[in-house]
Amino acid sequence: MKKILVVYYTQTGQLQSALKATLAPLEKDSSISVSYLQIQPKEAFPYPWTYMQFFDAFPETVNGIPTELAPFTINQDENYDLVVIAYQPWFLSICIPINSFLQTAEAKKLLKDKNVVTILACRNMWLNGQEKMKVHLKNLEAKLVGNITFVDPAANLVSLVTVFAFALGGVKDKFMGIFPKYGVSDTDLQESAPKYGEILLKHLQKGNYEQQQKELVELGAVKIKSNLLIMEGRGKAIFPLYANYLSKRGTAKTEERRTRVRIFGIVLPTAILLLSPFITILSRLSPILFPKKIKKEIDYYSQNTLR
Ligand SMILES: Cc1cc2nc3c(=O)[nH]c(=O)nc-3n(C[C@H](O)[C@H](O)[C@H](O)COP(=O)(O)O)c2cc1C
């Protein structure tokens, strides 16, 4: 009997659907037991978020400050063959609940010497969050052996509008009747996800994960667009500066930093809107001007080690 532990957080259920679809082949196999550990903060994050709540979560997310979690029970001595960590990137970082879990004593014990697969379902920017995940796993002495990502297929500016409508307006359907529905596509969930699951199943049964990521990438489990890669590079450099600028004024939810948070909430979407067209042009030119560099970056982010 092979044992898997799935640690996950989901706020509106998108990641849970992706998990369910991916793990279906493993759930069906009687030689495999799948246990779930849902991480929940002691005080739930709001949905829909108000504008202020959303941007106020930025500094702690970027700086990796943990929040208190609701108590959870897990047999820390269970020797899992594989641990799946399913999380969302928030502000190009690991979402606070999963980031908090990774800093617990339980995680330290559970993850040591374990094989780990990460599963993400998000808008489209997960590269930097996953780099942070690689650092956590390295420090926890776990081995990342697979990464599967589900993203919103719409153009960047389109999903920027729909994610705000979704997160702040609670719009789960077509925003204003004209925008596409926010989130991961149904085809990806129905057709691709079970194929990724079959690959996980095969390697779990063999107990050898050497070729796993390569096979996942061949099936499209990691799609990296050069414009998003360039945009994330910009965000990665600037976000910590903003995070410190905000947190200097006060801790989460405090009155002292409200003005700065409010300004940031205008600056961030505006900057993305203004930069996006330039970066898209740059990204169209980059593969022509620097084909080797872009390919090298895409190859790097498709695999599971840290540089
Ligand atoms: C505070 C916040 C920040 C987010 N930042 C990002 C991000 O940087 N990159 C991204 O691709 N998606 C981002 N998203 C979208 C989430 O990754 C995810 O799609 C959404 O929260 C729905 O997931 P769930 O239904 O599993 O809770 C963000 C969402 C929230 C709430």
Side-chain angles (χ1 to χ4, degrees):
M1 176 71 84
K2 298 266 187 187
K3 285 174 283 187
I4 310 181
L5 173 69
V6 183
V7 182
Y8 72 102
Y9 170 74
T10 193
Q11 200 186 20
T12 66
Q14 167 166 271
L15 184 55
Q16 205 163 11
S17 318
L19 257 182
K20 203 171 150 204
T22 309
L23 299 180
L26 298 110
E27 287 274 8
K28 272 188 224 142
D29 195 303
S30 57
S31 69
I32 290 173
S33 96
V34 189
S35 317
Y36 290 87
L37 173 60
Q38 182 173 11
I39 299 301
Q40 275 165 335
K42 203 162 189 184
E43 192 184 330
F45 285 96
Y47 184 80
W49 302 66
T50 66
Y51 171 89
M52 287 304 289
Q53 287 165 332
F54 187 84
F55 289 105
D56 194 67
F58 175 84
E60 283 69 33
T61 308
V62 172
N63 288 334
I65 312 279
T67 188
E68 214 177 319
L69 297 177
F72 55 87
T73 41
I74 186 86
N75 179 1
Q76 296 166 44
D77 299 315
E78 184 70 86
N79 200 10
Y80 293 101
D81 297 284
L82 185 69
V83 179
V84 172
I85 301 179
Y87 75 99
Q88 306 78 355
W90 284 1
F91 304 117
L92 314 185
S93 307
I94 302 170
C95 65
I96 292 178
I98 291 293
N99 201 42
S100 305
F101 169 73
L102 292 169
Q103 295 176 55
T104 60
E106 287 89 342
K108 199 167 181 185
K109 208 153 177 218
L110 266 173
L111 289 166
K112 188 171 163 32
D113 298 327
K114 292 294 185 307
N115 294 307
V116 172
V117 167
T118 46
I119 300 182
L120 294 89
C122 59
R123 183 171 82 91
N124 61 15
M125 294 200 185
W126 55 267
L127 304 179
N128 195 39
Q130 185 67 358
E131 287 301 289
K132 293 187 173 192
M133 179 58 77
K134 287 180 188 172
V135 173
H136 271 295
L137 295 178
K138 188 170 175 238
N139 293 338
L140 290 162
E141 297 176 60
K143 188 167 184 216
L144 185 60
V145 295
N147 177 35
I148 298 171
T149 62
F150 295 93
V151 295
D152 186 312
N156 189 38
L157 287 183
V158 172
S159 67
L160 183 70
V161 172
T162 57
V163 79
F164 277 123
F166 174 82
L168 307 185
V171 178
K172 291 192 172 171
D173 229 319
K174 291 184 161 197
F175 179 49
M176 294 177 16
I178 45 168
F179 283 92
K181 187 171 164 292
Y182 168 71
V184 171
S185 82
D186 290 341
T187 341
D188 238 13
L189 295 184
Q190 284 153 14
E191 290 170 20
S192 309
K195 290 186 196 152
Y196 307 152
E198 292 290 349
I199 293 192
L200 297 185
L201 176 63
K202 183 175 95 182
H203 292 275
L204 177 67
Q205 277 168 338
K206 276 202 294 192
N208 181 332
Y209 301 95
E210 245 163 65
Q211 295 301 313
Q212 180 167 271
Q213 187 63 22
K214 191 170 158 270
E215 290 176 24
L216 286 170
V217 171
E218 276 164 9
L219 274 188
V222 172
K223 301 178 212 63
I224 299 170
K225 290 187 184 164
S226 52
N227 61 327
L228 301 178
L229 190 139
I230 294 170
M231 281 206 94
E232 271 211 57
R234 291 284 153 274
K236 184 168 95 180
I238 298 167
F239 276 19
L241 305 177
Y242 269 118
N244 290 336
Y245 173 72
L246 299 182
S247 52
K248 245 191 227 156
R249 267 297 150 95
T251 49
K253 301 177 194 158
T254 51
E255 200 50 43
E256 289 78 10
R257 72 184 197 191
R258 278 185 78 81
T259 308
R260 286 191 178 185
V261 169
R262 186 170 291 129
I263 295 169
F264 173 67
I266 298 166
V267 170
L268 178 68
T270 313
I272 301 176
L273 273 174
L274 294 179
L275 283 179
S276 235
F278 291 109
I279 288 178
T280 302
I281 295 168
L282 185 67
S283 73
R284 293 276 141 78
L285 292 175
S286 296
I288 303 165
L289 298 176
F290 324 103
K292 277 199 189 132
K293 185 160 189 281
I294 295 290
K295 175 159 188 319
K296 206 173 130 210
E297 287 300 286
I298 292 179
D299 288 347
Y300 170 71
Y301 287 110
S302 302
Q303 57 83 56
N304 293 321
T305 61
L306 269 170
R307 59 176 144 211

